[in-house]
Amino acid sequence: MPARRRAGVARGRGGGAGLRPSRRGHPRLGAARVRAQPDRDGQPAPARTARPRRRDDPLRAGLAEAAERAGARLVAVGASPGPGAGSRVVDTPRYHRMRERFGDLSPGAGLNGMHVHVSVPDPETGVQVLNHLRPWLPILQAATANSPFFDGRDTGYASWRSMLWERWPTVGPTPYLESHEQYETMISDLVASGAMLDEGMLYWYARLSANYPTVEIRMGDVCPTPDDAMLLAALARALVATVLREVRDGRRAPDVPHPLLMAAHWRAAHDGLEGLNIDMATREPRPAWKLMRQLFDYVRPELERHGDLEMTTVLLGRLRAHGSGAARQRSVLAQRGSVDAVVDWLAATTRGAR
């Protein structure tokens, strides 16, 4: 579909109001901002995550209807499963500069990620939170894996979007940082190097937001259903709240070796939740679901404090029963025999059809 028409759909013509196009002109289905303002102790004040939307979510259904009127279908997927997945750059000066600087990396292959914002008291604390998050992000990435197919074939990965996204020069695990000053210096150095135009191109898996008083967790595929998105948002908020307590208590974050984190994120992209990942405490491979349970147990007190424990327990059980988005797509392929059928299933699931 032409980029101009696609942007019209993203602006919510006929039912999708409130959604903005991303850099490549696609609707933003994956950004979830979880605002938990700090209380006097520097911890996020309890505030319930919104309840899971019904499967017939009116926001997605309205946007799907707008897409259909424009001759397209809306699918919540990390990367386009079918052939011809190219897209056009949004027509603004900044993105044309990106095209000039980075060549065929931009606009890329129509990739769709999930970002979760969680409030922190101040940037200095935020940097310490980023350090504490590093060991846990691979298993969150595994839970979002939702792009096994690309260009009409099975890539052998649960998240092919992750592999395509890694071509950009600043994509990767957040480095271990001693201070906000070091964080700012690194941004300046990266801009000066030519590896990014501005702070908005800092594509670490977790970073300080340039626009909000938040840390932004941003390594996952867009989730296939609102239930999946709510589960990951609740876990992310509880994780930030948990590590905020550790920062307040003066506990230093483990300095996990960068190559080991790279290996764990590769494993998350390759296996999803259905295989192995690396236990950062023992540095040994373990079943990904055991690490997911370990994360749940670690953040359980904060899930309870925010009123999210019951919801998260139910949604985690559903994820375990149904599998990751990648596993669900492969199951559809095995049953129906074609990637076209997978796209049909994705479109129905995105719309909320039972």
Side-chain angles (χ1 to χ4, degrees):
M1 183 174 68
R4 184 180 304 169
R5 295 182 70 193
R6 190 163 53 236
V9 172
R11 284 192 296 270
R13 217 169 35 220
L19 293 175
R20 297 183 292 111
S22 69
R23 176 170 64 83
R24 297 177 178 85
H26 296 287
R28 294 182 184 273
L29 278 179
R33 294 194 180 96
V34 182
R35 302 283 184 88
Q37 298 296 335
D39 63 21
R40 293 179 181 177
D41 294 327
Q43 291 296 304
R48 290 180 182 270
T49 303
R51 295 303 94 187
R53 286 188 173 127
R54 301 168 304 177
R55 288 185 176 85
D56 57 340
D57 174 37
L59 180 60
R60 287 193 177 200
L63 187 54
E65 291 171 5
E68 289 163 8
R69 285 194 292 273
R73 286 191 296 176
L74 184 71
V75 291
V77 66
S80 177
S87 57
R88 298 181 184 180
V89 178
V90 175
D91 189 14
T92 66
R94 179 175 184 267
Y95 299 136
H96 286 295
R97 286 177 58 209
M98 291 175 69
R99 172 66 180 175
E100 291 169 5
R101 172 77 60 85
F102 299 101
D104 283 353
L105 284 182
S106 180
L111 309 181
N112 300 287
M114 177 177 178
H115 303 171
V116 182
H117 290 252
V118 187
S119 295
V120 290
D122 56 77
E124 197 68 53
T125 301
V127 167
Q128 299 310 312
V129 167
L130 295 178
N131 288 339
H132 282 265
L133 289 176
R134 295 168 78 239
W136 296 103
L137 296 187
I139 196 60
L140 282 179
Q141 179 184 2
T144 71
N146 186 38
S147 53
F149 303 115
F150 187 75
D151 201 23
R153 59 185 174 81
D154 192 325
T155 64
Y157 283 76
S159 174
W160 188 240
R161 181 204 64 87
S162 297
M163 306 311 296
L164 294 175
W165 185 233
E166 284 182 5
R167 298 176 300 174
W168 287 87
T170 61
V171 172
T174 310
Y176 196 97
L177 299 160
E178 294 296 336
S179 66
H180 184 241
E181 181 181 2
Q182 184 185 9
Y183 182 94
E184 292 289 301
T185 299
M186 194 167 294
I187 290 174
S188 298
D189 290 345
L190 288 169
V191 171
S193 77
M196 61 189 202
L197 296 180
D198 51 41
E199 186 175 355
M201 290 190 67
L202 186 69
Y203 297 145
W204 293 340
Y205 295 146
R207 68 183 187 184
L208 301 182
S209 172
N211 301 309
Y212 304 98
T214 62
V215 294
E216 181 183 3
I217 298 172
R218 47 179 292 117
M219 75 292 128
D221 287 359
V222 68
C223 293
T225 70
D227 278 1
D228 295 320
M230 288 303 307
L231 171 62
L232 270 296
L235 288 172
R237 177 169 66 178
L239 177 58
V240 171
T242 300
V243 302
L244 268 171
R245 288 190 178 277
E246 295 186 349
V247 171
R248 185 191 62 180
D249 293 343
R251 295 180 59 183
R252 186 174 176 85
D255 188 0
V256 179
H258 192 81
L260 187 63
L261 281 177
M262 292 289 291
H265 280 287
W266 174 83
R267 194 95 209 198
H270 186 269
D271 291 18
L273 282 177
E274 284 67 42
L276 302 175
N277 210 292
I278 299 173
D279 185 330
M280 293 300 168
T282 65
R283 303 191 181 185
E284 295 178 353
R286 293 183 63 195
W289 265 108
K290 288 189 176 180
L291 296 176
M292 191 69 179
R293 181 69 199 195
Q294 183 175 305
L295 170 63
F296 177 82
D297 291 341
Y298 176 60
V299 304
R300 184 186 182 107
E302 290 298 329
L303 288 172
E304 188 167 13
R305 194 170 78 94
H306 284 90
D308 290 337
L309 181 59
E310 181 180 358
M311 175 196 76
T312 306
T313 301
V314 170
L315 295 184
L316 191 64
R318 290 181 190 172
L319 183 63
R320 182 64 191 267
H322 300 151
S324 66
R328 283 172 251 172
Q329 289 185 54
R330 285 179 168 138
S331 177
V332 172
L333 180 68
Q335 294 170 20
R336 305 183 189 177
S338 73
V339 172
D340 286 344
V342 174
V343 174
D344 292 341
W345 176 83
L346 282 166
T349 300
T350 302
R351 174 185 274 277
R354 295 181 184 274

